[in-house]
Amino acid sequence: MTLTRLKSTNNTRFLTNFKLSVKLKYYLDGKQMKPSELKGKSGHLKITVDYKNNEKQNVSVDGKDTEVYTPFVMMTGMILPNETFSNVTIDNGKIISDGNKNIVIGFGMPGLKDSLNLNSEESDKVTIPESLSIEADVTDFTMSSTYTVALSDLLDDMNMDDIADEIG
C-alpha cells in the first residue's frame, strides 16, 4: 500500500488514496478540547481515536453478490513521557514502558464486523474494535506526534474459514 498524501482538517486525518479516516478527540476532565487548548494544562485526559472505513467492494459469498468493506487494520501509536503522563490505560491496544516513557499502540478494524454480518449471539462472542480510548493523568500537558497506519494485507495470512467454523 502506498500513501502519497495525508490531509488534516479539524483533528480528522484523511488518507487521500483510500476512503479511510481517523478522528482524534481530546477530553480534559470530561470537557472536549482542541489539542492547542491542552498545552500546559493538568487533569485527567481522555483521547478517543475513531476509525472509519468507506472502502467497499462487491464479492461473491455462497453464490450471492454481497457488498463488504475492504478489510483494513488501523494502528495508532504515540509516545507519552512519564514526566507528563501517569496512570496510562488503553482499551484496544498495548502499553510498553521503558521507565521514562510509555509507548501506546492501539488498533481497530473498521467495517469488519458489519462485513461479517453476524447475528446478535455471534456478535456477542466476538470483539472487533473500530475505535480506541486512551486515558491518563497529565501534568503540564505537552505531546509529540501521533502516528496512524492502515494495513490492508495483515489478514491475508489468516484462514478466515477456520475462524468462521469456530464461531458457528
Side-chain angles (χ1 to χ4, degrees):
M1 168 175 16
T2 303
L3 298 177
T4 57
R5 188 166 182 184
L6 183 67
K7 290 185 180 177
S8 295
T9 57
N10 297 333
N11 299 333
T12 302
R13 289 162 175 79
F14 296 96
L15 306 175
T16 57
N17 285 357
F18 301 99
K19 295 181 181 177
L20 300 170
S21 67
V22 180
K23 186 168 190 169
L24 283 81
K25 292 182 183 175
Y26 301 84
Y27 302 86
L28 187 65
D29 296 327
K31 180 183 174 194
Q32 186 172 349
M33 301 179 84
K34 295 178 184 174
S36 60
E37 297 172 326
L38 289 169
K39 186 169 174 59
K41 301 256 195 285
S42 299
H44 185 77
L45 177 72
K46 180 177 182 180
I47 302 171
T48 61
V49 181
D50 295 306
Y51 303 115
K52 181 116 172 101
N53 182 354
N54 294 311
E55 182 74 23
K56 290 185 175 182
Q57 57 187 332
N58 287 317
V59 297
S60 178
V61 177
D62 294 330
K64 297 178 190 172
D65 283 339
T66 305
E67 189 175 61
V68 297
Y69 287 95
T70 301
F72 284 99
V73 175
M74 305 285 292
M75 297 173 61
T76 298
M78 56 189 77
I79 299 173
L80 308 175
N82 288 351
E83 66 226 18
T84 309
F85 292 82
S86 61
N87 303 316
V88 180
T89 62
I90 186 169
D91 60 354
N92 293 316
K94 191 81 172 164
I95 301 168
I96 303 165
S97 178
D98 71 357
N100 294 317
K101 60 189 167 298
N102 291 301
I103 301 168
V104 181
I105 301 172
F107 75 98
M109 295 172 276
L112 182 59
K113 198 168 194 173
D114 288 341
S115 291
L116 293 175
N117 199 22
L118 303 173
N119 65 38
S120 62
E121 183 180 319
E122 294 168 331
S123 183
D124 291 342
K125 294 179 184 178
V126 180
T127 301
I128 303 174
E130 296 196 357
S131 63
L132 61 102
S133 179
I134 301 161
E135 294 193 41
D137 295 319
V138 295
T139 305
D140 192 22
F141 179 85
T142 184
M143 193 165 136
S144 62
S145 299
T146 299
Y147 301 95
T148 297
V149 66
L151 304 169
S152 62
D153 60 354
L154 193 62
L155 299 176
D156 287 352
D157 294 333
M158 294 179 70
N159 186 341
M160 297 306 276
D161 292 332
D162 288 345
I163 292 172
D165 290 341
E166 289 177 24
I167 292 173

